Amino acid sequence: MKKTKSKRLPWWAKLLIVALTVVIVFLGFSYGMIRYFVGDTLGFKGILSMVSYGGFDLPESFCNFVLDVDRSYPGLPQLLINNEGQPVKTPEEYDARRAEMLDLYETCMYGVTPTEGFDTVFTLMESGTLLDGKIRRQQVKITVSNENGSSDAMLLIYTPAEAENYGMFIGLNFSGNTAVWNDDAILPSVTQGEIGERGSESSSWPIELLIDSGFGLATMYYGDWAEDNQETYRNQVLKLFPEETCTAFSAWAFGIMRGIDYLETIEQVDTDAIGTAGHSRLARVSLWAGACDPRIDLVTASCGGGLLRSPLFAKIDTDGTANHWFAPDYYSFEGRDEELPVDIHMLYALIADRNLYISIGQQDLASDPKATWDALQEAKAVWRDIYHTEVIPDCTYEEAIPDQPVFSEGVAVHVHDEGHLLTAEDWQHYINYMKMFVNP
């Protein structure tokens, strides 16, 4: 009997099988990670939006498909109607409404940011100059203490060495101070752990651009104030306030405020030109610090996400891994998200009548650029109707021209043509706006 030979797959078929296996494993892993972090409440297009975190150049058709969702934002709270259902029309009435909204945000979102019951000590750990004396560097240990103990953080400051007066930007970083710039003299942050590549995040912190523009920069590692972990986030500064309903967000905002305390001790700092900066969730920390601290003149937020009622975002879910970001009352709205009495347009409005700048990534689908744009369009009414301040025009996200900032006396916005990034171009727009409208 003649034996039949088994057919072998051609090389290209084997390669195709391997490639498909890799893709399936990658998609399965990605899907599992998404479910792990946000629970089981993210819709199909919400899952697709997570692709934008990969840094890929996404086709316009894909972006349009993902962003094409219902934009009715059910139950969106009205900013200029107070808790008694009365319209708010004057700055005095808005002061009362602002207090209501701040209380709502503390109760239902980010918790209390402590303002008393502690002492703060500043210790200069290192100072020097670099780039032939053009830039001055200071590194200051901030120690916060009370009867419950103490907690430290390291503040890194770069300022123009020869300037007699300059504005400052302050913000938290994700990877430790040594990641901000390739400067061997930078000391590790208090809780930084292993030092990775120095300057690995320098593209998000263009220090020379700021110095050449006449501004200084102050930054701290966000982990010095609270670990981004729901099991250990109270191990740093929040251990001093065991009775307070605090979240990691309130600890991070608290850190920015303590950094401003030190900046006010520097004689050359123009305290009428202090801006906050933040990216991703730290953009919302920048906003929350601005809402809590009237010393901040300009609040900037990069890719911080839009209205929570967007269908692209996960629903309120107690099974997620970011429970340390939100106050306990936030989770009482699980299953009835539309009844949540706050949303990010309210956080924007808490900045009024100071200045607000929102930057959006066109391909940052996971932050929902449309919902971010819509939130600013809602919030600008406070500047326009209460303070009679010039605001950006009424227009849709689709009408925005990428990389062309829209400035106004009260608020500003631009859409860059990239993804979930804070870029030197974003900073240049912040600087230009600060010079034109905040402290001309």
Side-chain angles (χ1 to χ4, degrees):
M1 184 179 222
K2 193 175 182 181
K3 292 184 178 180
T4 58
K5 292 183 178 181
S6 59
K7 292 183 179 180
R8 294 186 176 181
L9 290 174
W11 66 269
W12 58 265
K14 294 179 180 179
L15 185 61
L16 180 61
I17 290 172
V18 171
L20 287 173
T21 301
V22 170
V23 169
I24 291 170
V25 170
F26 173 76
L27 291 175
F29 174 78
S30 300
Y31 181 81
M33 290 300 292
I34 290 168
R35 287 303 193 205
Y36 173 74
F37 282 110
V38 303
D40 296 322
T41 66
L42 200 61
F44 173 66
K45 287 191 175 182
I47 293 172
L48 291 181
S49 73
M50 292 294 176
V51 174
S52 64
Y53 280 138
F56 309 112
D57 189 15
L58 302 174
E60 183 178 354
S61 58
F62 178 83
C63 295
N64 292 339
F65 171 74
V66 172
L67 295 177
D68 184 19
V69 296
D70 175 36
R71 297 291 170 181
S72 60
Y73 308 117
L76 191 68
Q78 296 189 60
L79 301 176
L80 297 180
I81 299 293
N82 66 22
N83 287 352
E84 286 72 45
Q86 299 300 312
V88 175
K89 298 180 179 179
T90 68
E92 293 74 22
E93 291 173 346
Y94 187 71
D95 285 344
R97 175 57 177 156
R98 187 184 186 283
E100 290 178 347
M101 295 192 298
L102 188 62
D103 181 67
L104 285 170
Y105 240 90
E106 287 181 341
T107 303
C108 300
M109 188 62 67
Y110 294 144
V112 174
T113 301
T115 58
E116 57 185 16
F118 59 89
D119 296 312
T120 307
V121 174
F122 305 111
T123 305
L124 181 64
M125 304 299 291
E126 187 275 342
S127 65
T129 60
L130 59 161
L131 297 186
D132 296 323
K134 183 173 76 171
I135 301 175
R136 182 176 303 280
R137 180 188 57 247
Q138 292 185 57
Q139 301 186 75
V140 179
K141 183 173 71 173
I142 302 176
T143 301
V144 179
S145 62
N146 62 16
E147 66 277 7
N148 294 314
S150 65
S151 183
D152 297 331
M154 188 69 73
L155 176 66
L156 172 65
I157 305 171
Y158 289 105
T159 56
E162 301 299 327
E164 296 181 358
N165 187 257
Y166 45 79
M168 292 291 304
F169 285 92
I170 182 170
L172 303 181
N173 63 73
F174 279 111
S175 301
N177 290 351
T178 59
V180 170
W181 203 17
N182 188 15
D183 177 358
D184 290 338
I186 297 176
L187 302 172
S189 300
V190 174
T191 61
Q192 185 174 343
E194 183 179 349
I195 299 175
E197 180 185 356
R198 286 183 179 269
S200 60
E201 291 186 2
S202 60
S203 61
S204 296
W205 303 97
I207 293 165
E208 288 190 70
L209 170 64
L210 284 155
I211 298 297
D212 290 340
S213 301
F215 290 91
L217 175 70
T219 185
M220 293 169 282
Y221 176 45
Y222 79 139
D224 277 1
W225 296 101
E227 292 182 39
D228 199 355
N229 182 297
Q230 64 182 9
E231 303 298 330
T232 59
Y233 75 100
R234 297 195 73 101
N235 289 354
Q236 281 74 45
V237 75
L238 294 186
K239 69 186 179 185
L240 308 183
F241 309 101
E243 305 303 320
E244 295 284 2
T245 304
C246 301
T247 66
F249 268 74
S250 54
W252 297 329
F254 178 88
I256 289 177
M257 295 160 72
R258 303 291 70 78
I260 294 173
D261 290 345
Y262 181 76
L263 296 181
E264 289 187 319
T265 71
I266 302 176
E267 183 180 354
Q268 295 86 354
V269 168
D270 184 349
T271 55
D272 291 324
I274 292 180
T276 57
H279 174 66
S280 193
R281 58 188 170 279
L282 297 184
R284 282 169 276 159
V285 173
S286 175
L287 290 162
W288 184 229
C292 296
D293 193 336
R295 296 175 297 175
I296 298 167
D297 304 290
L298 169 63
V299 175
T300 73
S302 161
C303 300
L307 293 164
L308 297 172
R309 286 161 168 80
S310 165
L312 294 185
F313 295 149
K315 302 297 183 184
I316 298 171
D317 183 4
T318 56
D319 293 331
T321 60
N323 294 3
H324 56 301
W325 292 1
F326 305 110
D329 276 12
Y330 172 79
Y331 294 99
S332 69
F333 292 93
E334 184 174 8
R336 50 192 185 100
D337 298 61
E338 69 282 353
E339 297 178 27
L340 185 70
V342 299
D343 212 317
I344 201 166
H345 70 312
M346 187 177 288
L347 187 53
Y348 291 176
L350 285 168
I351 309 303
D353 63 337
R354 291 163 293 138
N355 293 91
L356 173 67
Y357 197 128
I358 302 298
S359 58
I360 300 170
Q362 189 177 37
Q363 297 197 25
D364 184 19
L365 305 182
S367 298
D368 195 345
K370 276 191 180 183
T372 308
W373 184 276
D374 292 344
L376 186 59
Q377 288 289 337
E378 288 284 337
K380 73 181 185 182
V382 175
W383 281 266
R384 181 192 62 212
D385 298 343
I386 300 300
Y387 298 106
H388 307 293
T389 301
E390 176 202 12
V391 294
I392 60 174
D394 294 331
C395 59
T396 64
Y397 171 76
E398 288 77 11
E399 295 173 292
I401 302 173
D403 298 316
Q404 182 172 311
V406 183
F407 290 177
S408 74
E409 187 180 351
V411 300
V413 64
H414 74 262
V415 179
H416 64 233
D417 63 0
E418 299 182 72
H420 196 69
L421 298 171
L422 173 60
T423 69
E425 288 74 19
D426 295 329
W427 279 101
Q428 185 64 70
H429 295 320
Y430 299 161
I431 290 166
N432 292 344
Y433 185 76
M434 176 78 93
K435 288 183 173 181
M436 292 176 64
F437 290 98
V438 181
N439 191 30

